[in-house]
Amino acid sequence: MHRAIKSTGVVCLIAALSACASIAPRAPEQQVQARAETYWRARIAGDVKAAYALLTPAYRSLRDEQAFQRQFGAQIAVLESKVTNVACEAEKCIARVGLTTKPVVPGLGLPTVTAYLDETWLLVDGQWWRHEAP
């Protein structure tokens, strides 16, 4: 009986610690990675509204959603995106993103190509936003 109570206590302690870990705030790198992945999923899907919502408040104060769509188009010719690294300072992170596309050249069966870009994410009012020059 004593052993069963001990086992139950250990299980409860592990569950409590797991719950605390899930409540604890995520590191900036994790937050930016999640937001960058969301941004690129939206861009690939042509969800202008979702992508636009992740841009800095400063950009959104200068350009409306339609201007963003005119600047970048509704959908891009990217098959897949992957955030491969995020490096942060106090209020700025650089996310390295791999974008995979298939070049379309008639008559040539070209393979997919992955290009990498570094994008800037800024901390504004406690939230990470993708920086885009207006």
Side-chain angles (χ1 to χ4, degrees), residues 22 32 34 38 48 60 94 104 131:
S22 65
V32 169
T38 299
V48 174
R60 288 181 283 127
I94 303 298
V104 181
H131 171 72

Side-chain angles (χ1 to χ4, degrees), residues 7 12-13 19 21 26 28 43 67 69 75 87 94-95 107 109 113 119 132:
S7 294
C12 288
L13 178 61
R26 295 186 301 171
R43 287 293 310 276
Q69 184 171 353
Q75 195 165 3
I94 303 298
V113 176
E119 57 185 25
E132 188 65 61

Side-chain angles (χ1 to χ4, degrees), residues 31-32 35 54-60 90-93 121-131:
Q31 294 174 36
V32 169
R35 289 177 69 81
L54 291 165
L55 300 174
T56 61
Y59 179 92
R60 288 181 283 127
E91 296 182 355
K92 176 182 172 182
C93 292
W121 288 77
L122 302 174
L123 183 62
V124 179
D125 296 330
Q127 184 61 271
W128 290 99
W129 305 96
R130 186 178 190 277
H131 171 72

Side-chain angles (χ1 to χ4, degrees), residues 2-131:
H2 189 295
R3 183 175 280 176
I5 292 172
K6 260 184 155 177
S7 294
T8 303
V10 169
V11 169
C12 288
L13 178 61
I14 291 171
L17 291 174
S18 296
C20 288
S22 65
I23 295 172
R26 295 186 301 171
E29 291 83 0
Q30 293 171 316
Q31 294 174 36
V32 169
Q33 179 168 352
R35 289 177 69 81
E37 289 170 352
T38 299
Y39 174 83
W40 284 104
R41 272 194 308 272
R43 287 293 310 276
I44 291 169
D47 188 347
V48 174
K49 183 179 283 311
Y52 178 79
L54 291 165
L55 300 174
T56 61
Y59 179 92
R60 288 181 283 127
S61 73
L62 295 173
R63 301 217 180 217
D64 63 15
E65 191 177 312
Q66 290 74 29
F68 171 72
Q69 184 171 353
R70 282 190 304 273
Q71 184 177 2
F72 295 103
Q75 195 165 3
I76 57 176
V78 172
L79 304 173
E80 180 180 298
S81 65
K82 181 175 180 166
V83 178
T84 60
N85 185 52
V86 178
C88 295
E89 299 171 4
E91 296 182 355
K92 176 182 172 182
C93 292
I94 303 298
R96 173 150 280 215
V97 182
L99 301 174
T100 302
T101 187
K102 183 162 179 68
V104 181
V105 180
L108 298 177
L110 297 175
T112 60
V113 176
T114 300
Y116 294 87
L117 66 95
D118 291 335
E119 57 185 25
T120 302
W121 288 77
L122 302 174
L123 183 62
V124 179
D125 296 330
Q127 184 61 271
W128 290 99
W129 305 96
R130 186 178 190 277
H131 171 72

